[in-house]
Amino acid sequence: MSLNEIRDQGLTRAEEDDVRVLFVEDDPAVAQMYRLKLELDGYAVEVAVDGVQAVHMATCSPPDIIFLDIRLPRMDGLGVLEALRQDERTRTVPVVILSNYSERELVDRGLKLGALEYLIKSQTSPARVAGGVVNWLRN
């Protein structure tokens, strides 16, 4: 979705410029690919490379939305999500899981912990992620 389409849906220019994304991914190539698309679409993106860093970054300066991998060093994504939901500062921040793992148990647990959606990387393009931000923010 382009910035013009976002404007058409009611977000002002100031709101667009202020949308901050935390992308949690330990694979630098994957993080860079999604980050570039999100930035091209006008979002400010920070990347956390492990679970502990993700919790720290999110609680110190809560983003507008978080894209979260499951398999991460130091703390897995489900642990991150659990910590975020227990902290008053991040309890309501929308989280979308973006993982290579599609096991039903992981999907169910992620959604039960409060993720808006559980996306599989091999089935999810950077354009789909960037295009979904507005809808996820409205949920």
Side-chain angles (χ1 to χ4, degrees):
M1 177 174 294
S2 71
L3 289 179
N4 286 334
E5 290 171 315
I6 292 170
R7 268 187 226 106
D8 291 343
Q9 291 191 16
L11 290 181
T12 66
R13 176 57 128 163
E15 288 170 326
E16 294 161 17
D17 292 342
D18 290 342
V19 174
R20 292 178 45 250
V21 175
L22 177 58
F23 200 89
V24 186
E25 172 62 58
D26 62 323
D27 182 325
V30 172
Q32 183 68 3
M33 178 177 63
Y34 284 93
R35 178 185 201 151
L36 285 173
K37 177 57 179 158
L38 287 160
E39 288 178 343
L40 283 171
D41 282 7
Y43 301 110
V45 181
E46 290 186 291
V47 175
V49 297
D50 67 52
V52 172
Q53 183 184 32
V55 171
H56 176 74
M57 291 172 72
T59 56
C60 287
S61 181
D64 296 299
I65 188 167
I66 298 170
F67 292 97
L68 179 62
D69 192 9
I70 291 293
R71 302 286 185 214
L72 296 166
R74 299 178 62 198
M75 176 189 291
D76 72 16
L78 295 175
V80 170
L81 184 53
E82 197 166 15
L84 295 174
R85 292 301 177 241
Q86 291 174 358
D87 191 298
E88 187 64 35
R89 296 165 290 186
T90 56
R91 182 169 290 140
T92 61
V93 174
V95 175
V96 175
I97 294 173
L98 186 60
S99 177
N100 284 321
Y101 299 93
S102 60
E103 290 89 351
R104 186 84 243 153
E105 178 185 323
L106 291 175
V107 174
D108 290 345
R109 185 156 174 238
L111 295 173
K112 189 175 275 186
L113 286 171
L116 292 178
E117 234 177 296
Y118 191 113
L119 303 174
I120 307 304
K121 289 179 192 172
S122 63
Q123 302 167 6
T124 307
S125 69
R128 175 158 185 240
V129 167
V133 170
V134 171
N135 290 328
W136 287 312
L137 288 174
R138 289 175 190 245
N139 284 335

